[in-house]
DNA sequence: CTGAAAGCGCTTACAG
DNA sequence: CTGAAAGCGCTTACAG
């Protein structure tokens, strides 16, 4: 407590500037001096005072991550890994109370925010945008003025629903959080049904207050008491689906025979429930890499035109909604990614029209294994 | 970006000091002035620059929470709630790489750290202690120089094992993370067996690299191939137990008939797996309240002698290790709390001998329901 | 390649 | 009850 740059400078017999240069790895310091300064730093146990640096430069060197919705849990984990790997420090900002979402993260000192909340309220977003906060959206929310990295939610929901249709289900229900935030998933769900010539009763779409297990449990219980009961349920998050499975089996129904269930998020938990959970898997690694790259670029270059980066997703059939009999044919990353011209994030391009890009899907060893894992071998 | 206290002062026609007083709610400002200042703040959209305040006062106003081990997941959630409720801002610091744990949180600006990691490495702890970082330990780790808030781990493990014994099990195995970090749980497990006159083979105690589902899966699989196979498994975290259940059922065994399983942590997830998971439930609310109170006190008053605050725990029987036939008799909070003189945390007492206290267990409405919930009604 | 000085936006003794 | 001044620990033009 209390060793300052000045102390180091005095001990090393140099000026503060030189110490600063050494600490920040700036060129223009002779090797001899550099060593002397390093020694002094080690000897005194000097650590730079982050707040002072922040006050001076306006930069904290921290990224804030806000994840509000369980379908992004795996994405959040991947972001933490990706950032650590590239030497970016991240703090996780707790989400605030429903409305005052802002409060929670406004006060964490960070250079930019990765916002994994569905439906950031309009006014909150406005405040951040006008304040000039570098912001990358991860959830459903979309805004012309902001970057977004994530899967094509409409298409992902359509694929999930199509998977249930391919199993021969016709009475397909949907359980999700508030209608507002989940708009695009509901749109995808409806698209798939429409294409199949099916008209779902209004009662088949259930909003829940939160996207948690208990909400899924209760929504499913009520849904299964409907006449006629659904023979399949698409849940907008894995926890919702876990609750739905429990509700169905508690009601004496067989999953998937009586009612198939599919979730959204690709969480580990789904592998272990019984029956194991079929789910839509966003490519968390791709999202994480793109999101970190993007927020860093945005911080460095605030005038970058807002971009939307679309990551691939996969439908992962497990026990609760297995691959259709005619041969397993889950949407591959290739198929599920929108057919748009690819591209990479360029630094500070001219122009300011929001553009849309497809994230490059760099396959890694283990990718397939991770996605394909059936219930039998939780690797 | 850029509205400073000075701007507010100028607009309101007062000095910086007065604005500062108003912002910080200090007395000694007339109501008229206070209003004028408030108006100016609103008009300009002024928000104090946290780094400047930090630099000046040495306080960030933030608490850091580090949770490294899933048996504290519910505790972490409760801490976030408790802190928010009392107006303390918390940031969650990501855990660093195994050894350099420090790195991850040293750089998040916080006034104190709630450290929910088992076995904080000695040198890391030494560094924090000598740096004078206010620190409250939540996990197994214990240190004469630090506060700790948590359940009596030895006793909790003993209770879990005793529960399996009460079911008539004799070949009881244990699955946990590294032996070091989990020392006291292993001690409790052994105590219970010894008291029952049982000698478990060394192979019945399995260390795992991490406390996650997949680790539990593999450890259990190998354990169940042992001759003779265990008829019960105590897992040091709920995810380990979820993995163990899946391994057992995948191997064609019935849980609990062939092998009973009990976890540790009382996570929600355990309610939804099938069979639902019996588990040791730390009283997360008590721990959360005590931990927040303690870290705040410690920050305000660094010379407080270190205290250990012991919170109650309960054994929650569910399907994977049901209540013993002779009538459900899980350890009650009263029974499971150590028989030590109660006490409350006093502010800055004299003396410096580490003392031990029992946290007051203030029963709240819904407490019973939350703890007793069987699998049928995930509230 | 290195040094001395100014200033980031607050708070806090110190005067009035 | 309010104001003017100093300083927290850095970095960054600006000189040498």
């Amino acid at each position: 407590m209390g060793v300052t740059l000045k102390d180091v400078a005095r001990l090393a017999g140099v000026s503060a500037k030189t110490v600063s240069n050494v600490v920040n790895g700036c060129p223009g310091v002779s090797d001899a001096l550099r060593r002397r300064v390093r020694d002094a730093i080690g000897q005194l146990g000097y650590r730079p005072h982050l707040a002072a640096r922040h006050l001076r430069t306006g930069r904290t060197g921290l990224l804030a991550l806000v994840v509000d919705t369980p379908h992004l849990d795996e994405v959040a984990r991947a972001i933490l890994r990706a950032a650590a790997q590239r030497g970016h420090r991240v703090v996780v900002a707790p989400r605030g109370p429903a409305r005052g979402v802002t409060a929670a993260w406004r006060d964490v000192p960070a250079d930019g925010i990765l916002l994994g909340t569905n439906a950031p309220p309009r006014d909150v977003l406005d405040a951040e945008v006008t304040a000039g906060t570098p912001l990358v959206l991860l959830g459903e929310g979309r805004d012309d003025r902001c970057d977004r990295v994530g899967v094509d939610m409409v298409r992902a929901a359509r694929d999930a629903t199509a998977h249930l249709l391919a199993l021969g289900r016709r009475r397909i229900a949907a359980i999700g959080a508030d209608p507002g935030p989940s708009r695009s998933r509901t749109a995808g769900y409806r698209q798939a049904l429409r294409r199949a010539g099916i008209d779902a009763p209004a009662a088949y779409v259930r909003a829940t207050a939160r996207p948690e297990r208990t909400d899924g449990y209760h929504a499913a219980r009520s849904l299964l008491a409907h006449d006629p009961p659904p023979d399949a349920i698409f849940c907008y998050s894995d926890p919702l689906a876990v609750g739905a499975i429990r509700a169905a089996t508690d009601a004496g129904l067989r999953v998937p025979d009586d009612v198939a269930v599919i979730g959204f998020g690709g969480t580990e938990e789904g592998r272990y429930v019984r029956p194991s959970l079929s789910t839509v898997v966003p490519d968390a690694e791709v999202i994480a890499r793109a999101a970190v790259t993007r927020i860093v670029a945005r911080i460095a270059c605030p005038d970058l035109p807002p971009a939307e980066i679309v990551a691939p997703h996969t439908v992962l059939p497990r026990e609760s909604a297995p691959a259709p009999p005619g041969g397993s044919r889950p949407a591959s990353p290739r198929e599920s990614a929108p057919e748009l011209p690819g591209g990479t994030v360029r630094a500070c391009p001219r122009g300011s029209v929001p553009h849309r890009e497809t994230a490059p899907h760099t396959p890694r060893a283990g990718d397939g294994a991770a996605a394909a894992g059936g219930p039998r071998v939780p690797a």
Side-chain angles (χ1 to χ4, degrees), chain A:
Chain A
M1 296 284 73
V3 179
T4 76
L5 182 145
K6 252 183 177 162
D7 299 326
V8 176
R10 201 173 312 126
L11 179 60
V14 299
S15 78
K17 167 112 204 290
T18 304
V19 178
S20 180
N21 283 341
V22 171
V23 169
N24 295 304
C26 300
V29 184
S30 71
D31 283 359
L33 265 200
R34 193 176 295 276
R35 267 203 51 183
R36 225 160 77 208
V37 171
R38 288 250 159 82
D39 286 350
I41 287 175
Q43 198 173 324
L44 295 173
Y46 167 74
R47 310 203 43 180
H49 192 300
L50 266 20
R53 183 180 288 175
H54 178 190
L55 179 56
R56 184 59 235 242
T57 63
R59 290 283 167 81
T60 65
L62 288 172
L63 304 176
L65 174 64
V66 183
V67 168
D68 218 0
T69 169
H71 82 260
L72 291 174
D73 280 355
E74 296 298 325
V75 167
R77 259 184 267 279
I79 285 177
L80 255 18
R81 280 196 305 270
Q85 207 174 306
R86 306 206 210 156
H88 302 297
R89 315 222 78 92
V90 182
V91 291
V92 180
R95 65 196 187 104
R99 195 66 198 162
V101 207
T102 340
W105 72 67
R106 289 288 319 218
D107 288 341
V108 348
D111 296 332
I113 302 176
L114 295 163
L115 193 52
T117 180
N118 285 325
R122 184 79 195 181
D123 52 336
V124 169
L125 217 51
D126 285 351
E128 295 297 348
V129 168
T130 64
T133 313
L135 210 56
V136 171
L137 269 26
L138 302 169
E140 279 226 9
R142 201 167 280 189
D143 192 286
D144 280 353
R145 303 161 296 173
C146 292
D147 298 311
R148 176 180 178 267
V149 178
V151 302
D152 178 335
M153 298 292 270
V154 174
R155 178 143 193 174
R158 210 166 65 210
D159 289 348
T161 311
H163 178 71
L164 299 172
L165 286 164
L167 288 173
R169 308 303 162 120
R170 287 299 172 265
R171 301 192 309 278
I172 302 177
I175 297 177
D178 304 285
S182 315
R183 196 166 312 158
S184 43
R185 271 166 291 182
T186 300
Y189 157 80
R190 288 197 200 284
Q191 276 181 20
L193 292 185
R194 196 178 320 122
R195 290 182 190 185
I198 292 176
D199 196 28
Y204 270 21
V205 178
R206 298 286 167 125
T208 60
R210 297 165 311 144
E212 306 299 342
R213 299 180 193 88
T214 180
D215 305 277
Y217 185 91
H218 287 109
R221 198 156 65 164
S222 137
L223 213 38
L224 293 168
H226 192 267
D227 186 25
D231 59 9
I233 306 177
F234 167 38
C235 297
Y236 293 1
S237 79
D238 279 4
L240 283 171
V242 166
I245 287 179
R246 183 89 211 183
T249 53
D250 278 1
L253 298 171
R254 288 163 310 159
V255 178
D257 306 55
D258 298 319
V259 57
V261 176
I262 190 166
F264 198 112
T267 55
E268 267 292 290
E269 177 179 1
R271 285 174 180 269
Y272 291 85
V273 293
R274 194 168 283 277
S276 61
L277 179 66
S278 303
T279 181
V280 178
V281 188
D283 193 323
E285 295 300 328
V286 167
I287 295 174
R289 283 193 295 257
V292 171
T293 302
R294 190 65 192 176
I295 191 71
V296 169
R298 164 75 47 209
I299 290 165
C301 193
D303 294 329
L304 232 43
E308 173 161 23
I309 298 170
V310 178
H313 63 266
T314 334
V315 171
L316 173 57
R318 285 194 291 220
E319 294 165 348
S320 72
S328 138
R329 200 185 143 286
S332 78
R334 205 47 287 142
E335 289 172 86
S336 63
E339 305 84 350
L340 286 167
T344 36
V345 178
R346 290 150 297 168
C348 293
R350 280 155 295 285
S352 67
V353 188
H355 60 287
R356 213 161 185 258
E357 330 190 325
T358 305
H361 179 64
T362 43
R364 283 148 300 114
D367 239 28
R376 294 275 148 177
V377 193

